[in-house]
Amino acid sequence: MAKECFVCHKGVVSGNSVAHSNKHNKRMWKPNLQKIKIVVDGTPRREYVCTRCLRSGKVERA
């Protein structure tokens, strides 16, 4: 399972890092995910949630 946000489904984005000489190398941008205990349908469970969702209050912590 790829790590992605449980709330907004934000995941890994891939692309190229481009050097000054225009040399391209594959790289990945990963979201800032935290594994926290949240309330889902009235029951607590541990899920990966991005810090943007945590900060904006889209999840209820258990």
Side-chain angles (χ1 to χ4, degrees), residues 5-32:
C5 178
F6 182 77
V7 180
C8 65
H9 305 290
K10 182 187 290 185
V12 175
V13 178
S14 64
N16 290 305
S17 62
V18 183
H20 180 66
S21 63
N22 206 28
K23 182 178 176 181
H24 288 59
N25 293 308
K26 281 290 193 184
R27 65 156 293 180
M28 295 165 79
W29 285 268
K30 297 177 183 174
N32 188 359

Side-chain angles (χ1 to χ4, degrees), residues 10 32 49-59 61:
K10 182 187 290 185
N32 188 359
V49 178
C50 68
T51 52
R52 177 76 55 100
C53 292
L54 279 175
R55 195 175 60 194
S56 61
K58 292 183 180 178
V59 292
R61 292 185 81 138

Side-chain angles (χ1 to χ4, degrees), residues 1 3-7 33-36 46-50:
M1 173 195 111
K3 287 186 183 178
E4 68 173 15
C5 178
F6 182 77
V7 180
L33 298 178
Q34 308 292 319
K35 192 168 190 179
I36 60 162
R46 286 192 176 275
E47 293 291 344
Y48 285 104
V49 178
C50 68

